[in-house]
Amino acid sequence: MDGAQVSRSILALVTLYDESFKEANKLYKTKIVSKVYVEGGMQPGSLKWLMRLIANDTGSQILLNENIPLKQRVLSSISKTIELIRTMDLSTTDIVIHETGSGFSVIIDNEFVEIDDMQCAILTNDKIRGALASLASPLDGKELDTLTISSSHDFISKFKITSEDRTKFIQKRKHTKIVAEGEFSGFYYIDTLSYSPKSKWLLINKNKTKESINGLIIDTAFLARVSENKEKFSKDDLLEVEGKWYEEKSKLTAKPKRTYHITNVKQHISVGDNQWDLISQ
Protein backbone atom coordinates (compact mmCIF):
# COMPACT_ATOMS: atom_id res chain seq x y z
CA MET A 1 0.00 0.00 0.00
CA ASP A 2 0.98 3.67 -0.11
CA GLY A 3 4.01 4.15 2.16
CA ALA A 4 2.91 7.67 3.05
CA GLN A 5 -0.35 6.29 4.42
CA VAL A 6 1.55 3.77 6.54
CA SER A 7 3.89 6.41 7.97
CA ARG A 8 0.99 8.74 8.82
CA SER A 9 -0.77 5.86 10.54
CA ILE A 10 2.27 5.12 12.73
CA LEU A 11 2.75 8.79 13.63
CA ALA A 12 -0.95 9.08 14.49
CA LEU A 13 -0.74 6.12 16.85
CA VAL A 14 2.26 7.63 18.65
CA THR A 15 0.45 11.00 18.92
CA LEU A 16 -2.66 9.31 20.31
CA TYR A 17 -0.85 7.79 23.28
CA ASP A 18 1.67 10.58 23.79
CA GLU A 19 -1.03 13.27 24.01
CA SER A 20 -3.19 11.09 26.27
CA PHE A 21 -0.42 10.85 28.85
CA LYS A 22 0.22 14.58 28.60
CA GLU A 23 -3.44 15.13 29.46
CA ALA A 24 -3.11 12.68 32.38
CA ASN A 25 -0.09 14.59 33.72
CA LYS A 26 -2.06 17.84 33.66
CA LEU A 27 -5.16 16.27 35.13
CA TYR A 28 -3.55 14.30 37.96
CA LYS A 29 -0.51 16.55 38.55
CA THR A 30 1.90 13.74 37.67
CA LYS A 31 5.13 13.73 35.67
CA ILE A 32 4.96 10.48 33.76
CA VAL A 33 7.56 10.13 31.02
CA SER A 34 6.35 7.70 28.38
CA LYS A 35 7.62 6.28 25.12
CA VAL A 36 5.52 4.52 22.50
CA TYR A 37 6.88 1.60 20.49
CA VAL A 38 4.91 0.12 17.61
CA GLU A 39 5.09 -3.24 15.90
CA GLY A 40 3.14 -3.38 12.67
CA GLY A 41 1.91 -5.82 10.10
CA MET A 42 0.04 -5.67 6.82
CA GLN A 43 -2.29 -8.17 5.24
CA PRO A 44 -4.57 -7.74 2.23
CA GLY A 45 -7.14 -5.13 3.24
CA SER A 46 -5.84 -4.82 6.80
CA LEU A 47 -3.30 -2.99 8.96
CA LYS A 48 -2.35 -4.35 12.38
CA TRP A 49 -0.45 -2.37 15.01
CA LEU A 50 0.81 -3.71 18.33
CA MET A 51 1.39 -0.87 20.76
CA ARG A 52 3.99 -1.15 23.54
CA LEU A 53 4.02 1.69 26.04
CA ILE A 54 7.08 2.22 28.20
CA ALA A 55 6.42 4.58 31.13
CA ASN A 56 8.50 5.36 34.18
CA ASP A 57 7.37 2.94 36.88
CA THR A 58 6.89 5.57 39.59
CA GLY A 59 4.36 7.58 37.62
CA SER A 60 2.57 4.79 35.79
CA GLN A 61 1.82 2.84 38.98
CA ILE A 62 0.24 5.78 40.82
CA LEU A 63 -3.13 4.63 42.18
CA LEU A 64 -6.18 6.81 41.62
CA ASN A 65 -9.16 7.01 43.97
CA GLU A 66 -10.56 3.76 42.59
CA ASN A 67 -7.20 2.01 43.24
CA ILE A 68 -6.67 1.85 39.49
CA PRO A 69 -3.08 2.39 38.27
CA LEU A 70 -2.83 5.58 36.22
CA LYS A 71 -1.44 3.79 33.18
CA GLN A 72 -4.42 1.43 33.19
CA ARG A 73 -6.85 4.38 33.45
CA VAL A 74 -5.26 6.16 30.48
CA LEU A 75 -5.18 3.12 28.20
CA SER A 76 -8.74 2.10 29.11
CA SER A 77 -9.98 5.65 28.50
CA ILE A 78 -8.41 5.73 25.03
CA SER A 79 -10.22 2.53 24.10
CA LYS A 80 -13.54 3.76 25.54
CA THR A 81 -13.24 7.12 23.78
CA ILE A 82 -12.73 5.39 20.43
CA GLU A 83 -15.86 3.34 21.05
CA LEU A 84 -17.68 6.55 22.01
CA ILE A 85 -16.79 8.22 18.70
CA ARG A 86 -17.83 5.07 16.86
CA THR A 87 -21.34 5.32 18.34
CA MET A 88 -21.78 9.03 17.56
CA ASP A 89 -24.31 9.92 14.91
CA LEU A 90 -22.88 11.66 11.84
CA SER A 91 -25.17 14.61 12.53
CA THR A 92 -23.19 15.27 15.73
CA THR A 93 -21.08 18.15 14.42
CA ASP A 94 -20.84 19.90 17.77
CA ILE A 95 -19.61 17.76 20.68
CA VAL A 96 -21.04 19.10 23.94
CA ILE A 97 -19.89 17.53 27.20
CA HIS A 98 -22.03 18.28 30.24
CA GLU A 99 -20.34 18.64 33.62
CA THR A 100 -22.46 17.54 36.57
CA GLY A 101 -21.88 17.14 40.28
CA SER A 102 -20.96 13.49 39.78
CA GLY A 103 -18.83 13.74 36.63
CA PHE A 104 -19.33 14.25 32.90
CA SER A 105 -21.75 13.07 30.24
CA VAL A 106 -22.14 13.38 26.48
CA ILE A 107 -25.31 12.98 24.41
CA ILE A 108 -25.40 9.86 22.20
CA ASP A 109 -28.66 9.04 20.38
CA ASN A 110 -30.49 11.68 22.45
CA GLU A 111 -29.41 10.04 25.71
CA PHE A 112 -26.79 11.07 28.26
CA VAL A 113 -23.82 8.70 28.41
CA GLU A 114 -21.50 9.07 31.40
CA ILE A 115 -17.76 9.49 30.80
CA ASP A 116 -14.91 9.93 33.27
CA ASP A 117 -12.47 12.83 33.55
CA MET A 118 -9.79 11.08 31.49
CA GLN A 119 -12.20 10.32 28.63
CA CYS A 120 -13.32 13.94 28.77
CA ALA A 121 -9.72 15.16 28.49
CA ILE A 122 -9.03 12.85 25.54
CA LEU A 123 -12.21 13.77 23.70
CA THR A 124 -11.50 17.50 23.95
CA ASN A 125 -7.88 17.23 22.77
CA ASP A 126 -7.65 18.45 19.14
CA LYS A 127 -4.38 16.58 18.47
CA ILE A 128 -5.89 13.29 19.62
CA ARG A 129 -8.99 13.69 17.47
CA GLY A 130 -6.70 14.60 14.56
CA ALA A 131 -4.64 11.47 15.19
CA LEU A 132 -7.77 9.31 15.17
CA ALA A 133 -8.75 10.90 11.86
CA SER A 134 -5.31 10.04 10.43
CA LEU A 135 -5.64 6.46 11.65
CA ALA A 136 -9.02 6.08 9.96
CA SER A 137 -8.19 7.98 6.78
CA PRO A 138 -6.59 5.07 4.83
CA LEU A 139 -9.65 2.88 5.41
CA ASP A 140 -11.36 3.76 2.14
CA GLY A 141 -12.60 0.21 1.51
CA LYS A 142 -10.40 -0.13 -1.55
CA GLU A 143 -6.87 -1.02 -0.45
CA LEU A 144 -7.72 -1.16 3.25
CA ASP A 145 -10.91 -1.78 5.18
CA THR A 146 -9.74 -2.58 8.74
CA LEU A 147 -7.25 -1.22 11.25
CA THR A 148 -6.60 -3.31 14.36
CA ILE A 149 -4.71 -1.92 17.35
CA SER A 150 -3.57 -4.30 20.09
CA SER A 151 -1.85 -3.62 23.38
CA SER A 152 0.74 -5.69 25.19
CA HIS A 153 -1.27 -5.08 28.39
CA ASP A 154 -3.79 -7.76 29.34
CA PHE A 155 -6.31 -5.28 30.76
CA ILE A 156 -6.74 -3.57 27.36
CA SER A 157 -8.59 -5.50 24.67
CA LYS A 158 -7.70 -4.85 21.05
CA PHE A 159 -9.97 -2.56 19.08
CA LYS A 160 -10.74 -2.09 15.42
CA ILE A 161 -11.61 0.82 13.17
CA THR A 162 -13.26 -0.25 9.92
CA SER A 163 -14.09 1.47 6.65
CA GLU A 164 -17.69 1.71 7.88
CA ASP A 165 -16.50 3.76 10.87
CA ARG A 166 -14.17 5.93 8.77
CA THR A 167 -16.47 8.93 8.30
CA LYS A 168 -17.20 9.22 12.03
CA PHE A 169 -13.48 9.59 12.79
CA ILE A 170 -12.41 11.84 9.91
CA GLN A 171 -15.40 14.18 10.23
CA LYS A 172 -14.19 17.59 11.38
CA ARG A 173 -16.51 18.53 14.17
CA LYS A 174 -16.56 22.30 14.30
CA HIS A 175 -16.41 22.66 18.06
CA THR A 176 -15.97 20.69 21.25
CA LYS A 177 -16.85 22.20 24.59
CA ILE A 178 -17.57 21.32 28.19
CA VAL A 179 -20.56 23.02 29.75
CA ALA A 180 -21.93 23.25 33.28
CA GLU A 181 -24.73 25.18 34.90
CA GLY A 182 -26.03 26.05 38.33
CA GLU A 183 -28.01 28.56 40.37
CA PHE A 184 -27.12 31.46 42.67
CA SER A 185 -28.99 33.85 44.96
CA GLY A 186 -28.31 36.44 47.63
CA PHE A 187 -27.70 40.12 48.31
CA TYR A 188 -25.34 42.04 46.01
CA TYR A 189 -24.12 45.63 46.01
CA ILE A 190 -24.34 47.47 42.69
CA ASP A 191 -20.87 48.40 41.46
CA THR A 192 -21.60 49.17 37.79
CA LEU A 193 -25.12 49.47 36.38
CA SER A 194 -26.73 50.00 33.01
CA TYR A 195 -30.15 51.11 31.87
CA SER A 196 -29.74 49.15 28.63
CA PRO A 197 -31.44 45.72 28.76
CA LYS A 198 -28.57 44.22 26.72
CA SER A 199 -25.78 45.40 29.05
CA LYS A 200 -24.41 43.59 32.09
CA TRP A 201 -24.41 44.76 35.68
CA LEU A 202 -21.36 44.32 37.91
CA LEU A 203 -22.52 43.21 41.35
CA ILE A 204 -20.48 42.56 44.52
CA ASN A 205 -21.50 39.81 46.91
CA LYS A 206 -22.57 41.45 50.20
CA ASN A 207 -21.18 38.63 52.35
CA LYS A 208 -18.09 37.89 50.24
CA THR A 209 -16.86 41.22 48.94
CA LYS A 210 -14.07 39.60 46.90
CA GLU A 211 -16.69 37.71 44.92
CA SER A 212 -18.39 39.53 42.05
CA ILE A 213 -20.66 38.66 39.14
CA ASN A 214 -20.95 40.42 35.80
CA GLY A 215 -24.50 39.46 34.96
CA LEU A 216 -27.23 40.15 32.45
CA ILE A 217 -30.58 40.94 34.06
CA ILE A 218 -33.42 39.13 32.24
CA ASP A 219 -36.18 39.79 34.80
CA THR A 220 -38.78 41.34 32.46
CA ALA A 221 -40.82 42.95 35.24
CA PHE A 222 -37.70 44.61 36.65
CA LEU A 223 -36.57 45.76 33.19
CA ALA A 224 -40.03 47.25 32.57
CA ARG A 225 -39.79 49.30 35.77
CA VAL A 226 -36.32 50.48 34.73
CA SER A 227 -37.49 51.55 31.25
CA GLU A 228 -40.43 53.44 32.79
CA ASN A 229 -38.07 55.25 35.20
CA LYS A 230 -39.80 53.67 38.17
CA GLU A 231 -36.44 52.46 39.50
CA LYS A 232 -33.55 54.80 40.31
CA PHE A 233 -30.14 53.39 41.15
CA SER A 234 -26.89 54.46 42.76
CA LYS A 235 -23.58 52.73 43.30
CA ASP A 236 -23.69 50.58 46.47
CA ASP A 237 -27.45 50.12 46.32
CA LEU A 238 -28.33 46.59 47.39
CA LEU A 239 -30.16 44.05 45.23
CA GLU A 240 -31.56 40.72 46.35
CA VAL A 241 -31.37 38.51 43.27
CA GLU A 242 -31.83 34.96 42.00
CA GLY A 243 -30.30 33.61 38.84
CA LYS A 244 -28.46 30.95 36.90
CA TRP A 245 -24.86 30.65 35.78
CA TYR A 246 -23.54 28.88 32.69
CA GLU A 247 -19.94 27.81 32.28
CA GLU A 248 -18.07 26.79 29.14
CA LYS A 249 -14.52 25.70 28.38
CA SER A 250 -12.86 24.17 25.33
CA LYS A 251 -10.81 21.57 27.23
CA LEU A 252 -11.01 19.90 30.61
CA THR A 253 -7.82 21.65 31.72
CA ALA A 254 -8.73 25.02 30.15
CA LYS A 255 -9.85 28.09 32.06
CA PRO A 256 -13.67 28.24 32.17
CA LYS A 257 -15.74 31.19 30.97
CA ARG A 258 -18.79 31.79 33.14
CA THR A 259 -21.94 33.74 32.23
CA TYR A 260 -24.51 34.95 34.76
CA HIS A 261 -28.21 35.52 34.06
CA ILE A 262 -30.22 37.29 36.79
CA THR A 263 -33.74 35.92 36.46
CA ASN A 264 -35.41 37.60 39.43
CA VAL A 265 -34.69 40.88 41.25
CA LYS A 266 -36.55 40.34 44.52
CA GLN A 267 -35.57 43.57 46.32
CA HIS A 268 -33.91 46.86 45.52
CA ILE A 269 -32.64 48.67 48.61
CA SER A 270 -31.24 52.16 48.11
CA VAL A 271 -27.94 53.02 49.76
CA GLY A 272 -29.65 55.79 51.76
CA ASP A 273 -32.23 53.44 53.28
CA ASN A 274 -31.75 51.49 56.48
CA GLN A 275 -30.68 48.35 54.63
CA TRP A 276 -30.55 46.02 57.58
CA ASP A 277 -34.13 46.86 58.61
CA LEU A 278 -35.40 46.29 55.08
CA ILE A 279 -33.55 43.00 54.67
CA SER A 280 -35.04 41.60 57.89
CA GLN A 281 -38.60 42.40 56.92
mmCIF file with all atom_site columns, all heavy atoms in Angstrom, residues 108-122:
data_model
loop_
_atom_site.group_PDB
_atom_site.id
_atom_site.type_symbol
_atom_site.label_atom_id
_atom_site.label_alt_id
_atom_site.label_comp_id
_atom_site.label_asym_id
_atom_site.label_entity_id
_atom_site.label_seq_id
_atom_site.pdbx_PDB_ins_code
_atom_site.Cartn_x
_atom_site.Cartn_y
_atom_site.Cartn_z
_atom_site.occupancy
_atom_site.B_iso_or_equiv
_atom_site.pdbx_formal_charge
_atom_site.auth_seq_id
_atom_site.auth_comp_id
_atom_site.auth_asym_id
_atom_site.auth_atom_id
_atom_site.pdbx_PDB_model_num
ATOM 1   N N   . ILE A 1 108 ? -25.484 10.831 23.298 1.00 0.00 ? 108 ILE A N   1
ATOM 2   C CA  . ILE A 1 108 ? -25.402 9.857  22.205 1.00 0.00 ? 108 ILE A CA  1
ATOM 3   C C   . ILE A 1 108 ? -26.815 9.338  21.955 1.00 0.00 ? 108 ILE A C   1
ATOM 4   O O   . ILE A 1 108 ? -27.452 8.814  22.862 1.00 0.00 ? 108 ILE A O   1
ATOM 5   C CB  . ILE A 1 108 ? -24.469 8.673  22.541 1.00 0.00 ? 108 ILE A CB  1
ATOM 6   C CG1 . ILE A 1 108 ? -23.069 9.175  22.913 1.00 0.00 ? 108 ILE A CG1 1
ATOM 7   C CG2 . ILE A 1 108 ? -24.417 7.690  21.378 1.00 0.00 ? 108 ILE A CG2 1
ATOM 8   C CD1 . ILE A 1 108 ? -22.287 9.749  21.761 1.00 0.00 ? 108 ILE A CD1 1
ATOM 9   N N   . ASP A 1 109 ? -27.306 9.484  20.721 1.00 0.00 ? 109 ASP A N   1
ATOM 10  C CA  . ASP A 1 109 ? -28.663 9.039  20.383 1.00 0.00 ? 109 ASP A CA  1
ATOM 11  C C   . ASP A 1 109 ? -29.699 9.623  21.335 1.00 0.00 ? 109 ASP A C   1
ATOM 12  O O   . ASP A 1 109 ? -30.581 8.926  21.854 1.00 0.00 ? 109 ASP A O   1
ATOM 13  C CB  . ASP A 1 109 ? -28.752 7.505  20.398 1.00 0.00 ? 109 ASP A CB  1
ATOM 14  C CG  . ASP A 1 109 ? -27.951 6.866  19.281 1.00 0.00 ? 109 ASP A CG  1
ATOM 15  O OD1 . ASP A 1 109 ? -27.754 7.528  18.243 1.00 0.00 ? 109 ASP A OD1 1
ATOM 16  O OD2 . ASP A 1 109 ? -27.500 5.721  19.453 1.00 0.00 ? 109 ASP A OD2 1
ATOM 17  N N   . ASN A 1 110 ? -29.551 10.934 21.613 1.00 0.00 ? 110 ASN A N   1
ATOM 18  C CA  . ASN A 1 110 ? -30.487 11.679 22.447 1.00 0.00 ? 110 ASN A CA  1
ATOM 19  C C   . ASN A 1 110 ? -30.513 11.207 23.905 1.00 0.00 ? 110 ASN A C   1
ATOM 20  O O   . ASN A 1 110 ? -31.465 11.494 24.635 1.00 0.00 ? 110 ASN A O   1
ATOM 21  C CB  . ASN A 1 110 ? -31.912 11.602 21.870 1.00 0.00 ? 110 ASN A CB  1
ATOM 22  C CG  . ASN A 1 110 ? -32.004 12.272 20.514 1.00 0.00 ? 110 ASN A CG  1
ATOM 23  O OD1 . ASN A 1 110 ? -31.432 13.334 20.291 1.00 0.00 ? 110 ASN A OD1 1
ATOM 24  N ND2 . ASN A 1 110 ? -32.727 11.636 19.595 1.00 0.00 ? 110 ASN A ND2 1
ATOM 25  N N   . GLU A 1 111 ? -29.502 10.487 24.328 1.00 0.00 ? 111 GLU A N   1
ATOM 26  C CA  . GLU A 1 111 ? -29.411 10.044 25.707 1.00 0.00 ? 111 GLU A CA  1
ATOM 27  C C   . GLU A 1 111 ? -28.054 10.438 26.292 1.00 0.00 ? 111 GLU A C   1
ATOM 28  O O   . GLU A 1 111 ? -27.050 10.485 25.580 1.00 0.00 ? 111 GLU A O   1
ATOM 29  C CB  . GLU A 1 111 ? -29.600 8.529  25.823 1.00 0.00 ? 111 GLU A CB  1
ATOM 30  C CG  . GLU A 1 111 ? -31.003 8.052  25.437 1.00 0.00 ? 111 GLU A CG  1
ATOM 31  C CD  . GLU A 1 111 ? -31.172 6.562  25.699 1.00 0.00 ? 111 GLU A CD  1
ATOM 32  O OE1 . GLU A 1 111 ? -30.197 5.927  26.169 1.00 0.00 ? 111 GLU A OE1 1
ATOM 33  O OE2 . GLU A 1 111 ? -32.264 6.035  25.431 1.00 0.00 ? 111 GLU A OE2 1
ATOM 34  N N   . PHE A 1 112 ? -28.040 10.714 27.596 1.00 0.00 ? 112 PHE A N   1
ATOM 35  C CA  . PHE A 1 112 ? -26.790 11.070 28.260 1.00 0.00 ? 112 PHE A CA  1
ATOM 36  C C   . PHE A 1 112 ? -25.990 9.807  28.568 1.00 0.00 ? 112 PHE A C   1
ATOM 37  O O   . PHE A 1 112 ? -26.505 8.876  29.183 1.00 0.00 ? 112 PHE A O   1
ATOM 38  C CB  . PHE A 1 112 ? -27.070 11.852 29.550 1.00 0.00 ? 112 PHE A CB  1
ATOM 39  C CG  . PHE A 1 112 ? -27.475 13.280 29.318 1.00 0.00 ? 112 PHE A CG  1
ATOM 40  C CD1 . PHE A 1 112 ? -28.810 13.654 29.326 1.00 0.00 ? 112 PHE A CD1 1
ATOM 41  C CD2 . PHE A 1 112 ? -26.509 14.249 29.077 1.00 0.00 ? 112 PHE A CD2 1
ATOM 42  C CE1 . PHE A 1 112 ? -29.181 14.972 29.113 1.00 0.00 ? 112 PHE A CE1 1
ATOM 43  C CE2 . PHE A 1 112 ? -26.867 15.577 28.868 1.00 0.00 ? 112 PHE A CE2 1
ATOM 44  C CZ  . PHE A 1 112 ? -28.201 15.938 28.880 1.00 0.00 ? 112 PHE A CZ  1
ATOM 45  N N   . VAL A 1 113 ? -24.732 9.811  28.136 1.00 0.00 ? 113 VAL A N   1
ATOM 46  C CA  . VAL A 1 113 ? -23.818 8.701  28.410 1.00 0.00 ? 113 VAL A CA  1
ATOM 47  C C   . VAL A 1 113 ? -22.705 9.232  29.307 1.00 0.00 ? 113 VAL A C   1
ATOM 48  O O   . VAL A 1 113 ? -22.043 10.213 28.969 1.00 0.00 ? 113 VAL A O   1
ATOM 49  C CB  . VAL A 1 113 ? -23.220 8.127  27.108 1.00 0.00 ? 113 VAL A CB  1
ATOM 50  C CG1 . VAL A 1 113 ? -22.200 7.034  27.415 1.00 0.00 ? 113 VAL A CG1 1
ATOM 51  C CG2 . VAL A 1 113 ? -24.331 7.588  26.213 1.00 0.00 ? 113 VAL A CG2 1
ATOM 52  N N   . GLU A 1 114 ? -22.506 8.602  30.454 1.00 0.00 ? 114 GLU A N   1
ATOM 53  C CA  . GLU A 1 114 ? -21.498 9.069  31.396 1.00 0.00 ? 114 GLU A CA  1
ATOM 54  C C   . GLU A 1 114 ? -20.081 8.753  30.913 1.00 0.00 ? 114 GLU A C   1
ATOM 55  O O   . GLU A 1 114 ? -19.828 7.678  30.370 1.00 0.00 ? 114 GLU A O   1
ATOM 56  C CB  . GLU A 1 114 ? -21.716 8.429  32.775 1.00 0.00 ? 114 GLU A CB  1
ATOM 57  C CG  . GLU A 1 114 ? -22.979 8.906  33.473 1.00 0.00 ? 114 GLU A CG  1
ATOM 58  C CD  . GLU A 1 114 ? -23.080 8.384  34.896 1.00 0.00 ? 114 GLU A CD  1
ATOM 59  O OE1 . GLU A 1 114 ? -22.151 7.667  35.324 1.00 0.00 ? 114 GLU A OE1 1
ATOM 60  O OE2 . GLU A 1 114 ? -24.078 8.685  35.567 1.00 0.00 ? 114 GLU A OE2 1
ATOM 61  N N   . ILE A 1 115 ? -19.174 9.705  31.101 1.00 0.00 ? 115 ILE A N   1
ATOM 62  C CA  . ILE A 1 115 ? -17.762 9.493  30.804 1.00 0.00 ? 115 ILE A CA  1
ATOM 63  C C   . ILE A 1 115 ? -16.950 9.998  31.991 1.00 0.00 ? 115 ILE A C   1
ATOM 64  O O   . ILE A 1 115 ? -17.424 10.831 32.760 1.00 0.00 ? 115 ILE A O   1
ATOM 65  C CB  . ILE A 1 115 ? -17.322 10.208 29.505 1.00 0.00 ? 115 ILE A CB  1
ATOM 66  C CG1 . ILE A 1 115 ? -17.523 11.725 29.623 1.00 0.00 ? 115 ILE A CG1 1
ATOM 67  C CG2 . ILE A 1 115 ? -18.061 9.661  28.298 1.00 0.00 ? 115 ILE A CG2 1
ATOM 68  C CD1 . ILE A 1 115 ? -17.013 12.499 28.426 1.00 0.00 ? 115 ILE A CD1 1
ATOM 69  N N   . ASP A 1 116 ? -15.720 9.475  32.152 1.00 0.00 ? 116 ASP A N   1
ATOM 70  C CA  . ASP A 1 116 ? -14.906 9.927  33.270 1.00 0.00 ? 116 ASP A CA  1
ATOM 71  C C   . ASP A 1 116 ? -14.029 11.099 32.859 1.00 0.00 ? 116 ASP A C   1
ATOM 72  O O   . ASP A 1 116 ? -14.038 11.531 31.699 1.00 0.00 ? 116 ASP A O   1
ATOM 73  C CB  . ASP A 1 116 ? -14.085 8.772  33.851 1.00 0.00 ? 116 ASP A CB  1
ATOM 74  C CG  . ASP A 1 116 ? -13.100 8.184  32.841 1.00 0.00 ? 116 ASP A CG  1
ATOM 75  O OD1 . ASP A 1 116 ? -12.664 8.913  31.916 1.00 0.00 ? 116 ASP A OD1 1
ATOM 76  O OD2 . ASP A 1 116 ? -12.740 7.007  32.971 1.00 0.00 ? 116 ASP A OD2 1
ATOM 77  N N   . ASP A 1 117 ? -13.270 11.636 33.820 1.00 0.00 ? 117 ASP A N   1
ATOM 78  C CA  . ASP A 1 117 ? -12.474 12.827 33.555 1.00 0.00 ? 117 ASP A CA  1
ATOM 79  C C   . ASP A 1 117 ? -11.397 12.581 32.499 1.00 0.00 ? 117 ASP A C   1
ATOM 80  O O   . ASP A 1 117 ? -11.102 13.455 31.677 1.00 0.00 ? 117 ASP A O   1
ATOM 81  C CB  . ASP A 1 117 ? -11.848 13.363 34.844 1.00 0.00 ? 117 ASP A CB  1
ATOM 82  C CG  . ASP A 1 117 ? -11.110 12.297 35.645 1.00 0.00 ? 117 ASP A CG  1
ATOM 83  O OD1 . ASP A 1 117 ? -11.076 11.138 35.208 1.00 0.00 ? 117 ASP A OD1 1
ATOM 84  O OD2 . ASP A 1 117 ? -10.591 12.625 36.728 1.00 0.00 ? 117 ASP A OD2 1
ATOM 85  N N   . MET A 1 118 ? -10.823 11.375 32.468 1.00 0.00 ? 118 MET A N   1
ATOM 86  C CA  . MET A 1 118 ? -9.790  11.078 31.485 1.00 0.00 ? 118 MET A CA  1
ATOM 87  C C   . MET A 1 118 ? -10.368 10.986 30.080 1.00 0.00 ? 118 MET A C   1
ATOM 88  O O   . MET A 1 118 ? -9.789  11.499 29.124 1.00 0.00 ? 118 MET A O   1
ATOM 89  C CB  . MET A 1 118 ? -9.093  9.760  31.864 1.00 0.00 ? 118 MET A CB  1
ATOM 90  C CG  . MET A 1 118 ? -7.804  9.485  31.112 1.00 0.00 ? 118 MET A CG  1
ATOM 91  S SD  . MET A 1 118 ? -6.515  10.695 31.473 1.00 0.00 ? 118 MET A SD  1
ATOM 92  C CE  . MET A 1 118 ? -6.029  11.175 29.815 1.00 0.00 ? 118 MET A CE  1
ATOM 93  N N   . GLN A 1 119 ? -11.533 10.366 29.932 1.00 0.00 ? 119 GLN A N   1
ATOM 94  C CA  . GLN A 1 119 ? -12.197 10.316 28.630 1.00 0.00 ? 119 GLN A CA  1
ATOM 95  C C   . GLN A 1 119 ? -12.549 11.720 28.163 1.00 0.00 ? 119 GLN A C   1
ATOM 96  O O   . GLN A 1 119 ? -12.440 12.038 26.974 1.00 0.00 ? 119 GLN A O   1
ATOM 97  C CB  . GLN A 1 119 ? -13.458 9.458  28.709 1.00 0.00 ? 119 GLN A CB  1
ATOM 98  C CG  . GLN A 1 119 ? -13.209 7.979  28.875 1.00 0.00 ? 119 GLN A CG  1
ATOM 99  C CD  . GLN A 1 119 ? -14.490 7.234  29.181 1.00 0.00 ? 119 GLN A CD  1
ATOM 100 O OE1 . GLN A 1 119 ? -14.774 6.876  30.324 1.00 0.00 ? 119 GLN A OE1 1
ATOM 101 N NE2 . GLN A 1 119 ? -15.305 7.021  28.176 1.00 0.00 ? 119 GLN A NE2 1
ATOM 102 N N   . CYS A 1 120 ? -12.985 12.553 29.098 1.00 0.00 ? 120 CYS A N   1
ATOM 103 C CA  . CYS A 1 120 ? -13.321 13.942 28.771 1.00 0.00 ? 120 CYS A CA  1
ATOM 104 C C   . CYS A 1 120 ? -12.095 14.679 28.253 1.00 0.00 ? 120 CYS A C   1
ATOM 105 O O   . CYS A 1 120 ? -12.170 15.398 27.246 1.00 0.00 ? 120 CYS A O   1
ATOM 106 C CB  . CYS A 1 120 ? -13.883 14.623 30.012 1.00 0.00 ? 120 CYS A CB  1
ATOM 107 S SG  . CYS A 1 120 ? -14.360 16.335 29.765 1.00 0.00 ? 120 CYS A SG  1
ATOM 108 N N   . ALA A 1 121 ? -10.954 14.498 28.919 1.00 0.00 ? 121 ALA A N   1
ATOM 109 C CA  . ALA A 1 121 ? -9.720  15.162 28.491 1.00 0.00 ? 121 ALA A CA  1
ATOM 110 C C   . ALA A 1 121 ? -9.284  14.690 27.109 1.00 0.00 ? 121 ALA A C   1
ATOM 111 O O   . ALA A 1 121 ? -8.837  15.482 26.277 1.00 0.00 ? 121 ALA A O   1
ATOM 112 C CB  . ALA A 1 121 ? -8.617  14.894 29.515 1.00 0.00 ? 121 ALA A CB  1
ATOM 113 N N   . ILE A 1 122 ? -9.414  13.404 26.844 1.00 0.00 ? 122 ILE A N   1
ATOM 114 C CA  . ILE A 1 122 ? -9.025  12.846 25.544 1.00 0.00 ? 122 ILE A CA  1
ATOM 115 C C   . ILE A 1 122 ? -9.938  13.372 24.438 1.00 0.00 ? 122 ILE A C   1
ATOM 116 O O   . ILE A 1 122 ? -9.492  13.781 23.367 1.00 0.00 ? 122 ILE A O   1
ATOM 117 C CB  . ILE A 1 122 ? -9.057  11.310 25.584 1.00 0.00 ? 122 ILE A CB  1
ATOM 118 C CG1 . ILE A 1 122 ? -7.930  10.775 26.481 1.00 0.00 ? 122 ILE A CG1 1
ATOM 119 C CG2 . ILE A 1 122 ? -8.939  10.710 24.180 1.00 0.00 ? 122 ILE A CG2 1
ATOM 120 C CD1 . ILE A 1 122 ? -8.004  9.285  26.740 1.00 0.00 ? 122 ILE A CD1 1
#
